[in-house]
Amino acid sequence: MVPAWLWLLCVSVPQVTLETQDRHVLWGPQSVLVRVKDENDQVPQFSQAIYRAQLSRGTRPGVPFLFLEASDQDEPGTANSDLRFRILSQAPAQPSPEMFQLEPRQGALALSPKGSTSLDHALEKTYQLLIQVKDMGGQASGHQAIATVEVSIIENTWVPLEPIHLAENLKVLYPHHIAQVHWSGDDVHYRLESHPLGPFDVDAEGNLYVTRELDTEAQAEYMLQVWAQNSRGEDYAAPLELQVLVMDENDNVPVCPPRGPAVSIPELSPPGTEVTRLSAEDADAPGSPNSHIVYQLLSPESEDGVEGRPFQVDPTSGSVTVGALPLQAGQNILLLVLAMDLAGAEGGFSSTCEVEVKVTDINDHAPEFTTSQIGPISLPEDVEPGTLVAMLTATDADLEPAFRLMDFAIERGDTEGTFDLDWEPDSGHVGLRLCKNLSYEAAPSHKVVVVVRSVAELVGPGPGPGATATVTVLVERVMPPPKLDQERYEASVPISVPAGSLLLTIQSSDPISRSLRFSLVNDSEGWLCIEKFSGEVHTAQSLQGAQPGDTYTVLVEAQDTDEPRLSTSVPLVIHFLKAPPAPALTPAPVPSRYLCTPRQDHGVIVSGPSKDSDLASGHGPYSFALGPNPTVQRDWRLQTLNGSHAYLTLALHWVEPREHIIPVVVSHNAQMWQLLVRVIVCRCNVEGQCMRKVGRMKGMPTKLSAVGILVGTLVAIGIFLILIFTHWTLSRKKDLDQPADSVPLKATV
């Protein structure tokens, strides 16, 4: 290889020869500067064509387990010798095509994070990788070489070790082998630390040694930590811990394992199922009778009248298994196990070990509804979609929250998709909601069957069809609002029309027979009134202030008397016309009537002009209205009965008893008449008969004579009473003045 720059200083240059193959330069006696440029004429080469490595399943991701070596004979430090490594392929590609990662500069092959999570579940035992090395920094113009890496996946042997018991002052050849650790991968180096510092060591094969005698009084226990590392000192996995106990004579009590979290065992576990395995420790020499521990179950004991026990303990291994007595979910049982050294012989030590067992739940109960029949529930057919129809509740006897998760569905009774279900995943409540409009004509009732099932798979007998609940929904017919014969009413009225004139009649065009009540809205001037049942619209007063050509709009509201919430409104537009020439009012005969005050439920019938009357010009119909006198309009009411008669009544509860002349204006076409109705208002008796004032009748006493007779009678009665009282007083006084001995003795029997 010729250096990139070669500076040569010579006296003369008679001849210059460069031999790049042999890498020799010849020059003459002259001084000359020669620059030799390196060409990328060398191909990278791996140190070997096939690499083989073993990879343990417990290897941490990113820790290299193999270092690939390659070289390039081009000038070092130049791009020609700048090598880059890359993985071209991986076979097989399961469970992930990216099981490994490769450092491009160093060629360090390691397990990728994705490969680390997949390796424990992978079934493949061997992976073959094609590795490329390329100069020129991996550029496309560089030269390349290919090598094969065969990676064997082996089981993880990096497992915790059982505690070691060493006798103090042990007379053996040191270093003394006490245990061995083994990392199943390649390129492994072991490192050991002792806490506290002790006489321990580890060799390249993972053998652990004690290098001298131990003294239990100086240190009775050591904790050894052993690391498995690659050549760069990176840990393949977490360190293993090894407990070393220095033993002497049987002066140590068996030590139970610390009471940890409760051991879980599913309910309905068959007898013989292992719950846990006790491993009590004795500080005496391992393998000696001093550390030979046996186990005995103290509690729970078998119940009275019940055969078998819920748990059993193997005396040698300390294995705790399920007994013949069934376990129930939710139980928390404290096991007391006696651990005895000297194999339970007399004179040994013992300890009571505690194991808490929690009986866990399994999904062996199907959910059920609290009630299977709901309803009937009545809903009007115009109820809005989204309305909550019913709330159903289901329960699950399992204890585990995951097993109480339920799934609800509408099983039948809703082919049109009228209803839907709404529930929370962790709730046993499900709402049946309306998602479409109801129709009484299409379906007057619905029977919706809702089924509930457990989300998790049931254990035990088949899940069955699932529990159901039936919701009965009755659809109520909704009456539409009233419909009138017109959407807009209009009437043309002369501004001179008198009060009480009939303008038009509001009528119903509803196909449903119903009773309507009419009223007016926005009658700001008070010009109009409407008969609440017949719908006849009259002028309530003279149209004072109205101008020809103006319009006056009010709303006519029709309300269903049986369903007051059902109503409709239409506009009524009054067009004011110019008043026609006022015809002369022709007086009509004055009929005579009687009415009672205070007001009673009867009135006076007012008739239009008769056919034989000179005032009559046709057959009607006639319009009736009270005269324009404000007092008359205040005290009286006139109601049109038909085209020929009207009904006159008192408007006030009390009207002065006397004779009243009420002007009634009768109009027909352009003619008008005024009827002067003579009404006598009087006090009436209970039979409704009018009581009239009468003059003094002959032979009857006057008021003065009657008063004189009454006073004389009272004076005579008073004189008579005075005489009686005086006589009684004198007689009493005489009896009191008589001597006592003059009183005759009464005979005694």
Side-chain angles (χ1 to χ4, degrees):
M1 174 63 63
V2 179
W5 301 91
L6 178 62
W7 300 82
L8 300 177
L9 181 63
C10 299
V11 175
S12 63
V13 188
Q15 178 182 2
V16 176
T17 302
L18 299 178
E19 296 178 3
T20 59
Q21 182 176 3
D22 297 331
R23 303 298 189 266
H24 295 293
V25 177
L26 301 178
W27 60 86
Q30 298 296 326
S31 175
V32 65
L33 175 65
V34 178
R35 176 181 297 172
V36 180
K37 181 180 180 181
D38 181 37
E39 297 292 339
N40 187 21
D41 55 353
Q42 300 296 320
V43 178
Q45 293 183 352
F46 281 97
S47 61
Q48 57 191 74
I50 299 177
Y51 293 84
R52 291 180 175 85
Q54 291 183 333
L55 178 63
S56 175
R57 290 186 183 272
T59 304
R60 288 176 172 174
V63 179
F65 62 89
L66 178 64
F67 293 90
L68 303 176
E69 296 181 359
S71 61
D72 192 305
Q73 297 301 319
D74 287 316
E75 177 67 18
T78 65
N80 298 335
S81 62
D82 185 9
L83 302 182
R84 294 289 190 274
F85 296 87
R86 183 166 70 93
I87 298 176
L88 296 180
S89 65
Q90 168 194 313
Q94 290 80 22
S96 170
E98 299 176 355
M99 295 287 292
F100 304 91
Q101 64 184 27
L102 181 63
E103 292 182 4
R105 291 181 179 271
Q106 301 296 327
L109 183 64
L111 192 64
S112 67
K114 185 179 296 184
S116 176
T117 58
S118 305
L119 189 62
D120 291 340
H121 307 287
L123 301 178
E124 289 73 12
K125 299 296 185 180
T126 303
Y127 289 90
Q128 188 177 71
L129 307 177
L130 289 182
I131 308 298
Q132 176 197 69
V133 62
K134 202 169 189 180
D135 59 11
M136 297 296 292
Q139 298 181 14
S141 60
H143 299 295
Q144 67 177 14
I146 304 297
T148 302
V149 177
E150 294 181 355
V151 181
S152 299
I153 307 301
I154 58 179
E155 295 301 324
N156 183 14
T157 59
W158 195 248
V159 294
L161 300 177
E162 295 293 332
I164 297 176
H165 299 79
L166 295 178
E168 64 176 343
N169 303 319
L170 186 63
K171 304 303 180 181
V172 294
L173 182 63
Y174 291 95
H176 175 63
H177 182 270
I178 58 175
Q180 184 180 13
V181 296
H182 176 66
W183 177 257
S184 52
D186 292 336
D187 186 25
V188 59
H189 303 274
Y190 298 102
R191 182 170 65 90
L192 180 143
E193 289 185 4
S194 173
H195 303 281
L197 184 63
F200 301 96
D201 196 7
V202 61
D203 62 12
E205 302 299 326
N207 293 305
L208 303 180
Y209 298 93
V210 57
T211 59
R212 58 177 172 81
E213 294 182 1
L214 300 177
D215 185 2
T216 186
E217 283 74 19
Q219 183 64 41
E221 181 179 351
Y222 296 90
M223 179 61 69
L224 306 183
Q225 287 185 311
V226 184
W227 284 266
Q229 300 176 333
N230 61 14
S231 58
R232 297 197 306 192
E234 297 172 307
D235 298 335
Y236 282 121
L240 291 183
E241 293 185 348
L242 175 62
Q243 186 180 24
V244 177
L245 301 175
V246 183
M247 307 299 297
D248 57 0
E249 297 180 357
N250 187 24
D251 56 353
N252 293 284
V253 177
V255 178
C256 294
R259 177 177 172 180
V263 180
S264 298
I265 183 71
E267 64 173 332
L268 304 182
S269 295
T273 302
E274 186 175 72
V275 179
T276 187
R277 185 178 292 268
L278 290 174
S279 179
E281 298 177 356
D282 195 304
D284 294 319
S288 67
N290 298 335
S291 61
H292 186 188
I293 300 175
V294 294
Y295 303 91
Q296 178 184 351
L297 180 65
L298 297 179
S299 69
E301 300 178 351
S302 58
E303 301 178 8
D304 295 339
V306 179
E307 295 183 359
R309 305 176 71 172
F311 297 98
Q312 294 178 348
V313 175
D314 184 89
T316 303
S317 65
S319 175
V320 180
T321 58
V322 176
L325 192 64
L327 302 176
Q328 297 180 357
Q331 286 182 303
N332 288 295
I333 304 173
L334 182 63
L335 302 181
L336 299 180
V337 180
L338 187 65
M340 301 172 289
D341 62 8
L342 292 180
E346 185 178 356
F349 296 101
S350 64
S351 297
T352 301
C353 303
E354 295 183 353
V355 178
E356 185 179 359
V357 178
K358 179 181 180 181
V359 183
T360 59
D361 187 28
I362 62 173
N363 193 22
D364 59 338
H365 294 90
E368 295 181 353
F369 284 106
T370 56
T371 177
S372 60
Q373 297 290 333
I374 299 178
I377 300 172
S378 298
L379 292 178
E381 60 181 343
D382 62 347
V383 66
E384 292 291 333
T387 301
L388 179 64
V389 178
M391 183 64 72
L392 293 81
T393 301
T395 58
D396 194 310
D398 291 311
L399 302 180
E400 183 66 29
F403 299 153
R404 295 202 301 268
L405 295 179
M406 308 173 196
D407 187 28
F408 299 90
I410 297 178
E411 188 174 59
R412 60 182 181 273
D414 187 30
T415 57
E416 301 298 327
T418 307
F419 302 91
D420 196 7
L421 299 177
D422 181 17
W423 75 94
E424 294 294 333
D426 56 350
S427 171
H429 305 286
V430 57
L432 180 66
R433 293 188 179 275
L434 185 69
C435 60
K436 288 185 178 179
N437 291 320
L438 296 174
S439 173
Y440 178 85
E441 289 74 15
S445 64
H446 299 267
K447 284 187 176 294
V448 183
V449 179
V450 181
V451 64
V452 58
R453 295 184 177 91
S454 178
V455 173
E457 183 179 358
L458 288 174
V459 178
T468 60
T470 302
V471 181
T472 303
V473 179
L474 302 180
V475 182
E476 297 179 351
R477 183 193 296 272
V478 176
M479 296 290 289
K483 185 177 181 181
L484 302 180
D485 61 345
Q486 296 182 30
E487 296 182 356
R488 175 186 175 94
Y489 290 90
E490 294 190 16
S492 297
V493 180
I495 60 175
S496 61
V497 67
S501 300
L502 176 65
L503 303 184
L504 74 165
T505 302
I506 308 298
Q507 296 181 348
S508 171
S509 63
D510 205 322
I512 303 174
S513 177
R514 65 174 77 189
S515 176
L516 300 182
R517 183 190 303 271
F518 298 96
S519 60
L520 295 179
V521 182
N522 294 338
D523 184 12
S524 58
E525 300 295 337
W527 285 338
L528 305 176
C529 63
I530 187 170
E531 168 55 39
K532 60 182 179 180
F533 294 114
S534 68
E536 293 181 350
V537 180
H538 297 80
T539 55
Q541 60 181 351
S542 61
L543 306 179
Q544 185 176 359
Q547 298 296 327
D550 291 348
T551 59
Y552 184 64
T553 303
V554 298
L555 288 179
V556 178
E557 184 179 80
Q559 187 180 54
D560 193 322
T561 56
D562 296 328
E563 293 288 341
R565 62 186 181 87
L566 301 177
S567 64
T568 187
S569 299
V570 296
L572 168 59
V573 181
I574 305 298
H575 299 274
F576 296 120
L577 304 178
K578 185 177 180 181
L585 290 177
T586 306
V590 182
S592 229
R593 303 291 189 273
Y594 295 94
L595 288 179
C596 294
T597 186
R599 183 181 60 194
Q600 297 187 4
D601 295 333
H602 58 269
V604 174
I605 300 296
V606 179
S607 302
S610 62
K611 298 180 181 180
D612 300 333
S613 173
D614 296 336
L615 301 178
S617 60
H619 301 285
Y622 299 103
S623 296
F624 298 87
L626 292 173
N629 190 328
T631 303
V632 173
Q633 294 185 1
R634 182 197 65 190
D635 296 345
W636 301 87
R637 287 289 178 267
L638 185 65
Q639 180 181 357
T640 301
L641 298 178
N642 49 43
S644 60
H645 294 82
Y647 192 60
L648 181 66
T649 59
L650 292 175
L652 302 178
H653 181 71
W654 172 266
V655 176
E656 182 182 358
R658 63 179 178 83
E659 181 180 273
H660 296 265
I661 303 298
I662 298 93
V664 177
V665 178
V666 183
S667 60
H668 174 67
N669 295 333
Q671 291 185 330
M672 302 179 68
W673 300 269
Q674 178 173 281
L675 300 180
L676 299 178
V677 181
R678 179 171 176 268
V679 178
I680 298 176
V681 178
C682 59
R683 297 178 182 271
C684 296
N685 56 18
V686 293
E687 288 82 10
Q689 297 176 350
C690 185
M691 296 186 298
R692 301 180 60 188
K693 290 184 178 181
V694 296
R696 177 176 176 274
M697 296 180 65
K698 195 172 184 180
M700 295 296 293
T702 63
K703 292 182 180 180
L704 184 59
S705 61
V707 172
I709 294 173
L710 179 60
V711 172
T713 303
L714 293 175
V715 171
I717 294 173
I719 295 173
F720 180 71
L721 292 176
I722 291 172
L723 293 176
I724 294 175
F725 180 74
T726 303
H727 176 72
W728 179 77
T729 301
L730 294 176
S731 299
R732 180 66 176 167
K733 184 177 181 181
K734 182 178 180 181
D735 293 337
L736 293 176
D737 294 339
Q738 187 175 0
D741 54 359
S742 64
V743 178
L745 295 175
K746 295 182 179 179
T748 60
V749 182

